[in-house]
Amino acid sequence: MADSAPIMGGYLAAAQAFYDAAAETPALGACCVQRNDLELPGLVVPSAMEALTFSCGTTVHPGELADAPTALYIGVGGGLEALQFAWFSRRPASVIAVEPAPRMRQAAEANLIQAASLNPWFDPAFVRVMAGDAFALPVPDESVDLVAQNCLFNIFEPADLRRALAEAARVLRPGGRLMMSDPIAERDMPKHLRADDRLRAMCMAGALRFEDYVAEIAAAGFGVIEVRSRKPYRSLERVAFGLDADLALDALDTVSRKTGPYGSVCEAEIFTGRRAVYVGPNDRIESGGVELPRHLPIAVSDRTALRLQTRPEKDVLITPPTWRHAPVRTEVETLA
């Protein structure tokens, strides 16, 4: 278990103060209040919990939760996604919610008690709310099946992002999953915005380009990175933010598998929704460990797609990214 330590000063202290204040005045966090659109049978969400949901996408992907995993959620907010995770697991302490802001922890605990009054299936004991931060998670090594965070890691400076990713890798079991939802930027964030602590706390100024974001994940030991969703999030307007041109941000949801140390993103398998279609004369071919039946689209990583495109036979068509890689299991209804 990592040594417990309070969040440091500087922009991290500013972020903690921002969300402590948002716990009492939710409108302060209005920059990132998109709701996930997942509806689960028999789940009623308290209105106070909805008001304290600060997110740009979702980490709740049913295919990853069907086996009732032990989950650790970093930055609990109002508790919405922790409650949704509990819908799948339904056992004591199966969801560990770590939150550094004291008032936000208190709000989440109150919201979970209210959720129990609205949902007969839910026991507040299913979610354990704990003090801590992304750099010192209060659980032993290799003790959880998945780690999730929504609109938190994008706040971090690159060096702190690496610390947080390394800590997530520490607590995950081999093969464990890191479920993340963060804004990404179409181009490098200007220095004057990156230096603005409030904009960083509001999930804007810390956004990385997609290529840099997945490179950090891969370097932390997550060798398979699946994009579950990429969609427009917001735009930073030229005049309001002192830019040469408007800067678009996308909301990116990913699920990454802990596989081992990776020194370069070039060594990771990144899935962005590409398909490979063999159109040659044979019934099927095998190329680099991928079997391609004739005329049947097969999901492939970006690295595999690039390799297949260089086949001298020119008999494999590659579709462009859809920015959505479908998991194996998606049937929510079977879990109710």
Side-chain angles (χ1 to χ4, degrees), residues 54-71:
F54 308 120
S55 63
C56 65
T58 183
T59 63
V60 186
H61 300 287
E64 304 300 334
L65 299 166
D67 54 353
T70 298

Side-chain angles (χ1 to χ4, degrees), residues 65-255:
L65 299 166
D67 54 353
T70 298
L72 188 150
Y73 197 95
I74 309 173
V76 66
L80 173 61
E81 293 195 341
L83 176 64
Q84 291 172 324
F85 279 16
W87 187 92
F88 291 88
S89 56
R90 305 194 185 197
R91 52 187 171 80
S94 56
V95 181
I96 303 162
V98 176
E99 173 59 53
R103 279 181 279 180
M104 193 65 79
R105 286 197 305 274
Q106 295 168 5
E109 290 172 336
N111 290 341
L112 290 167
I113 291 173
Q114 185 179 1
S117 70
L118 300 174
N119 295 274
W121 60 268
F122 178 65
D123 185 330
F126 293 169
V127 180
R128 184 182 178 191
V129 180
M130 302 182 69
D133 60 59
F135 312 129
L137 298 174
V139 297
D141 295 356
E142 299 186 355
S143 60
V144 299
D145 300 305
L146 64 87
V147 170
Q149 68 82 25
N150 193 329
C151 244
L152 171 63
F153 281 20
N154 69 288
I155 291 175
F156 298 145
E157 290 278 10
D160 288 330
L161 173 60
R162 290 170 201 133
R163 291 172 59 202
L165 289 170
E167 184 67 353
R170 177 187 71 80
V171 304
L172 279 169
R173 298 185 176 107
R177 294 149 286 177
L178 175 62
M179 303 166 71
M180 306 197 359
S181 181
D182 285 306
I184 57 171
E186 62 177 345
R187 63 180 187 272
D188 288 339
M189 189 68 60
K191 290 182 180 179
H192 74 280
L193 295 186
R194 298 192 68 86
D196 189 315
D197 290 350
R198 184 174 177 82
L199 287 181
R200 186 173 286 276
M202 293 175 70
C203 307
M204 292 185 280
L208 299 174
R209 295 183 310 124
F210 173 78
E211 295 80 5
D212 297 329
Y213 185 84
V214 295
E216 295 288 1
I217 298 172
F222 297 91
V224 178
I225 303 170
E226 301 172 357
V227 174
R228 294 296 168 80
S229 175
R230 179 177 179 174
K231 57 189 178 183
Y233 173 52
R234 66 162 296 160
S235 178
L236 304 184
E237 297 79 12
R238 177 180 61 83
V239 175
F241 291 92
L243 303 171
D244 294 333
D246 292 350
L247 176 56
L249 304 182
D250 286 348
L252 182 75
D253 294 356
T254 57
V255 178

